[in-house]
Structure formats: structure tokens, C-alpha cells
Amino acid sequence: MNLLRSITNRDKTLIEIFGLIWPYLVVVVVLGGLGFAFVIGRPDFAIRGLAIAIPGIVAAIALTRIYGSGTKIPSSDLEMKLEQRQLSSIFFILYALSLVVVLISSVRPWYYFVMMTLLYTIIFVQILSKGVNQYLVLSEIILCMVNLIYSFTLKDHLYYGATDILPHLFMSQVTYLTGHTIPEYLSVTYTNFPLFHILISETSYLLNLNITTAFFVVAPLVFTVVVLFLYCIFLSTTKYVKLSLLSVALFSTLSIVVYYGMYMVTRVAAFVAFLMLIYLIYKNSEMNDSRLKILGVVVASFIVIVHQVSTPQIIAIMILFLVSELLLTNLTGLKSKFHDNNYILLLTVTFLTYWFYVAYSFTFLALTSRATHISGELTIKQDIQTGLEWIFLSQNVDTMIVTFFVFIGIGAMFWKYGNKYAAVFTMVTLFSLPLYLPNPLQTLWDVMTLFRFDRFILLVSPFIAFSMAAGILFFYNYLSSKGKRVLYAGLIISILLTGFVYPSLIGGSPEYDEVIASRTYFYSDELIGFDHVFDSVPDNSILYTDTPTSRLFENRRFSETDNLGIKYYRIDSFDVTNFTVTDGYFILRNEELDRGLLFDRTMIRGDDSLEWGYLNSNLKANNKVYSNSAIDIYEAVQ
């Protein structure tokens, strides 16, 4: 009855009323989604949907109780006997131990991630405790991010992720050697978008490092800068230190952020610039400084030239901000107005002009390639297979905890702070949910792969983290207000956060990635074998190999190749079940067979598979010219 009176209260704004009905809306949508999965004959979709349905329903129940208690974001602190100085001492001791583990281990063991989870738990306790030092906490968050990245990328293997790192290293090498951007023949996609390769090549020159080392040393440092900009964005708009710090800490632990911290490619550079631009827009709205406007124009230009696809996606997110502000201004009388649509116009005009008048070759290629793949029927992604739904659930424990807190944060923020600027971030989160959380849209190849909607996940992750932080604070205050000790509430929150952080760190790390069948890095012995290819195999030779390795060797010849001493090869595709090496060389990463080797569209997993039988019989007819513990190289019999 109290809730019904609140909903029908004429003093309530539409946003506050929406916040009150949000839990009921969540229940209706998730139950409707589960029912629809059975109607279309895909009960496996319903099982996958439990990753959202279960935490969604629990969050709805929690929200109705929070509404009944009148809970606000807490001003109370954890009642801990440990002071901030003691917590910091524990943090740095544990941090030093994690470095020792990294140094003595070839691959990060599971207990390394336990230690990193404990480090983040200490950070969360520091944030919720009284007397928090924002500069110290920010430093600790950055140190944890750097630890997670360098502990893997600076080992003696070569991380390539989704393989884009390999061609980026080559294009940076060409930029370094030639002193100019790459020719169009090497890559239509990047010849007019060269800023990332210029950055890596200049870094290599200034630090006197090779391209690969320069990339893995400097790129992660660029990525960690987002923590500072994100904190400044949230703090300048909400004026709440704890919420801002908690948002940033949660952002750094999201699996997508852990993944892209290592996989720092051009779209990640555009993401960093996007947050810089948002910060400059907000800062300029406070100061109205012409210098900030000039910097904003520079950063906007950087976004356009550093990565192609990111620009229209960033414009879409900025439009979400503009729409959210307009809605809240009209519905709640929101006084704060930070966003400036001039930058949206600047980005739109600049990117359209650049695409159609400068990078027209890329634009033609992008439009025609997508037009040829558009058909009347939608295609389900290949990894969405019946029988894998329970594995999907087990791999999304962190997603379930994120969903629980985000749903609480959305409803509670609209309910209590709908007329504050924090509600703008909440509104953006609401619009972004289909882009971030698992849902039917993400099962479609046409949407996620063809039109690259998967790239939105990183762009919206800061705002997901913000609503998650708000949900944690509301839920914590509700628990501590129910006659329980604040320490008891803090213990429950810490357990939930630990349950989120550990699987999230594991899910974003290549050693424990169970979704990608093939390993996403080359062992040191494999690199030694590749060096043999570069040293011994003649230029312009035909190479046959698996997909990741082919990206390492797909160096095309151009006018300056011979003068610069760049090796170049021809990569030929083939069918492993009907194939004979008649010319060139075959490179086999034999140690990867057990986990799976991808050859074009054929996966060979295990030396007892039928595909391996075909391939092995063909290889035996050729000369094995090199072999070590991880790689075999065969030369065709002439």
C-alpha cells in the first residue's frame, strides 16, 4: 500500500515513478523473455537467460524492500578496527607477494588471481571506510591494473589476443622504418587511420626499444589513464567521492576491461580518447575556457583518425548522453547541463568528411563488404550452440552479480536522485543494457559481428560500473539499516564483490579463457621456430599454417620492402581434409593440437581426430626441415 501511494503521489516526477515501477518491469521482462524462448523452441536460450533472470528477480525483491525502508546512498562508514594506514600496509605487502609469484611462475597460477582479488577487496574496504584517501586509492587501482597487464604481456611469450595485435605490430614497424604512414597496398583499412602506429613507432624510437617491446610497455600505461579521467568525470558531476571511487574500482575489474588492458589496439585508443573528450566537455561547462575547447577539438580529431568504426559508435553514445539530459531536464527540471551537442556535430561532420573525401577507399570497402553479407534472414552466432548453455551459466557468475547490483542501482537512483545529474549516467546505463548484458540481440551474428555491436561493450562499461557502484551503496545501506551491525553489512558486500572480482579477472585473462578454443599467445619455443622461418625461408615463399600464425607472417610486399629488409611471404588457404603441400612450407604448432588449431574454418583438436589424420598423412610426405618442442616446419618435396 505504501508503494502504491508513492507511485500515485502527484508530487513524484515521472522519473521517480519509473524508479518505483522498475522492479516490476524487470520481473515482467525477464519472465516474458524466458517464455518467448520456449515459444520459439529454444529452451537453451531460456537457460542462458537465467544469467539475467535470477539476479534480476532477486534485485527486484531487494528494491521493493529498499523502497519500503527509505534507504539513501550511505553516509556511514564501515566500522573497522583497521585504519586506512593499516589497510594500505596490508595492500602493499600483498602486492609485493603477487609480484614474487609472477617472477617465479612461467604462467600466472590460480592463486595469483586470488591475491589480486584480495587486493581489490582491500580497495573496496578502503573506499567504504571512513577517512578514505582518494589519491592513494586511485594509485592502488592503477597499480592493480598494471600488475594484471604486465604480469602476462611482459613474459617471454607473445600475446596476440584476437590476432589484431600482430598486423598492428607490423604496420608500426613499417611506419618506424619508412618514416611515413603505411601505403594503401598494405592495408586499406588503416592507411588513412595511422595515429596508433605513429604512436608506437615514435615510442620505439624515443625509448630505443624494438616495436614489440615498445608496444607492450607503453600501450597499457596509456590505457590506465582512463581511471583518472573517469574518476574526474564522476566526481565533477556527482560531487560524491565514495561513489566515484567505487565506480572506477569496479570498472577496472570488469572482464571486458581486464581483456582490453592487454589487448590495447586502435579501438581501445579511441575509447581512451572518448573518455578524455567527455572529461573536457564537462570541465569546459564549468570553466568555459577556450583552451579546453581547443583540446576538445584536438581529441575529437584524434578519435576520427585513430580508428574508423569507433567514431560512429562514440557519436551514438554521446547522443545517448544528450537524449538522457533532455529527458531528465523535461521530466525533473534537471538544472545541471554539462553536455554540449557542438562536439557531436563536430565529430559527425569530421568523420563523414574524412570517410568520404580522404578515406574513401576504406569507406567503399566497408560499405560493399557489409552489403554483400546482408540477407533477409538473421544468423545465430556459431558459438551459440545447444548443449553449451550450462557452461555459459557457469562462466557468467560475474555477469550475474553485475546484473544484480546494476538493476538495484538503476531503480534506486531514479527513485531517490532522479533530479540529480547522477541520473544521467543511470539513464545512459538503462539505454546501454542491451549492449552489455547477455540478451537475444547478442546471439545474432549480423548485429554483433557484421555491424560490430560487440565493440559497444567497452564503450558503455564505465556507466555500467557507475550504476553497479550505486547499487552496492544502496544495498549496503539497506543491510546496515535493518538492525544489523555495519560490519555485518560490509561482510556480505565483500563476499559478493569477491564472488564478482575473481571470475571477472579469470574471464578476462588469456590463460583461463575457456570461450576461445585456441590459445591466444605464442610460447617462447614457438617464437624461436618463427625466427627460424624469418631467418631461413626465402622471401615470397608460400606458407601454410593455422590462422593466428598466418597473421604473423602475412607481410605483403610493397615498393620499399627490399630496401628496408622486411621479410614478406604469401599465405595460402587450404582444406585440411583435401590438401597436399606442393610448394612452399607448412608451419605446424604441434603443442597446440590438444587445445585446438584453427585452419581457416576447420578446427583440429587432438591428434586422434579425423582431420588430423588427413593432415598428418600429407605432411609425412614432405621434408621436416625444422622441429622443436612446440613447432614443426615442413618443406614441400619438389
Side-chain angles (χ1 to χ4, degrees), residues 221-258:
L221 295 179
V222 175
F223 183 73
T224 56
V225 171
V226 301
V227 167
L228 302 178
F229 286 106
L230 196 57
Y231 176 72
C232 292
I233 290 170
F234 290 145
L235 184 62
S236 64
T237 51
T238 65
K239 312 298 181 186
Y240 189 15
V241 173
K242 288 186 182 296
L243 178 59
S244 303
L245 284 176
L246 187 57
S247 300
V248 171
L250 291 170
F251 164 79
S252 68
T253 60
L254 293 173
S255 59
I256 190 70
V257 176
V258 175

Side-chain angles (χ1 to χ4, degrees), residues 535-551:
D535 293 337
S536 305
V537 175
D539 289 344
N540 205 34
S541 297
I542 297 176
L543 299 183
Y544 305 92
T545 186
D546 60 273
T547 301
T549 307
S550 67
R551 299 215 71 184

Side-chain angles (χ1 to χ4, degrees), residues 170-171 174 178 180 182-188 534 538-542 550 552-571:
F170 174 67
M171 287 184 278
V174 171
T178 62
H180 57 72
I182 62 172
E184 186 173 295
Y185 177 73
L186 278 187
S187 175
V188 174
F534 284 120
D539 289 344
N540 205 34
S541 297
I542 297 176
S550 67
L552 178 67
F553 289 102
E554 60 181 7
N555 304 344
R556 297 183 180 181
R557 185 178 185 180
F558 61 102
S559 59
E560 299 174 82
T561 297
D562 294 332
N563 292 334
L564 297 174
I566 297 176
K567 304 289 289 187
Y568 56 94
Y569 301 101
R570 289 177 289 155
I571 305 297

Side-chain angles (χ1 to χ4, degrees), residues 138-193:
L138 286 172
S139 300
E140 291 172 351
I141 293 171
I142 292 175
L143 284 173
C144 284
M145 293 178 70
V146 169
N147 192 333
L148 283 167
I149 298 169
Y150 282 164
S151 61
F152 186 80
T153 59
L154 294 187
K155 288 286 189 177
D156 57 357
H157 44 239
L158 175 62
Y159 174 67
Y160 56 80
T163 73
D164 283 351
I165 286 178
L166 301 175
H168 282 305
L169 290 176
F170 174 67
M171 287 184 278
S172 298
Q173 180 73 24
V174 171
T175 303
Y176 175 86
L177 293 174
T178 62
H180 57 72
T181 58
I182 62 172
E184 186 173 295
Y185 177 73
L186 278 187
S187 175
V188 174
T189 306
Y190 282 104
T191 186
N192 295 117
F193 302 91

